[in-house]
Amino acid sequence: MASKLLSRSDSFKYKHVQLYKNDRLGVGTFGVVCKARCDQLECAAKLLHPRYFDITELDASSSVVLRKFYQECDLLEQLRSPYITQYLGRWMDPETRLPVLLMELMDENLTAFLKRHQGQLLYNIQ
């Protein structure tokens, strides 16, 4: 079960990935977002917190987190919009042996963007 969840892969077009784990952009419950580089492209990388995972044998909660992570990757892979950061792919971190989600790097964080455009954005709540 563990190897099946961890071995998932999609077509990945970059030859070299460098993670800058000390250059954090954000922190969440299950991971951190840091700066990264795919070949020459600066990007953002979402890394799962390794402390939640025993690679040799995943428990039920770790399996659920990994499934949700892969569902997020699968969804982002299908979305194309100028309003959503572009999904670049999934990559395996050789240090933690956990999957990493790679995305386009925004020029600013969402909070700063929303403050800068306050009153200018149209939205619809359904």
Side-chain angles (χ1 to χ4, degrees):
M1 170 69 99
S3 61
K4 186 175 183 180
L5 275 174
L6 289 170
S7 66
R8 289 186 53 170
S9 65
D10 55 356
S11 58
F12 190 70
K13 59 187 173 199
Y14 300 99
K15 291 182 170 86
H16 178 72
V17 175
Q18 176 68 45
L19 300 177
Y20 302 104
K21 294 180 181 180
N22 292 329
D23 198 351
R24 289 186 174 185
L25 302 171
V27 179
T29 302
F30 297 108
V32 301
V33 177
C34 66
K35 285 190 177 180
R37 184 176 293 277
C38 294
D39 294 340
Q40 298 303 312
L41 178 67
E42 285 190 13
C43 60
K46 181 176 183 179
L47 294 82
L48 296 171
H49 287 306
R51 68 176 175 257
Y52 291 120
F53 300 94
D54 174 7
I55 299 303
T56 57
E57 189 173 320
L58 294 177
D59 61 17
S61 62
S62 296
S63 294
V64 168
V65 170
L66 276 175
R67 260 194 214 87
K68 287 185 180 290
F69 179 86
Y70 284 123
Q71 286 173 348
E72 180 180 1
C73 291
D74 293 343
L75 175 65
L76 289 170
E77 190 171 25
Q78 297 173 35
L79 297 176
R80 298 286 182 267
S81 169
Y83 305 109
I84 301 173
T85 54
Q86 184 64 49
Y87 173 80
L88 300 175
R90 203 170 29 229
W91 179 73
M92 190 69 65
D93 180 357
E95 184 181 312
T96 63
R97 294 178 25 218
L98 289 171
V100 175
L101 186 157
L102 297 159
M103 296 190 75
E104 170 185 22
L105 180 63
M106 293 177 56
D107 294 332
E108 61 186 332
N109 67 42
L110 183 58
T111 302
F113 177 84
L114 292 173
K115 283 182 181 177
R116 193 166 52 83
H117 290 88
Q118 192 171 21
Q120 301 171 13
L121 299 174
L122 301 174
Y123 61 91
N124 184 7
I125 299 175
Q126 296 180 357

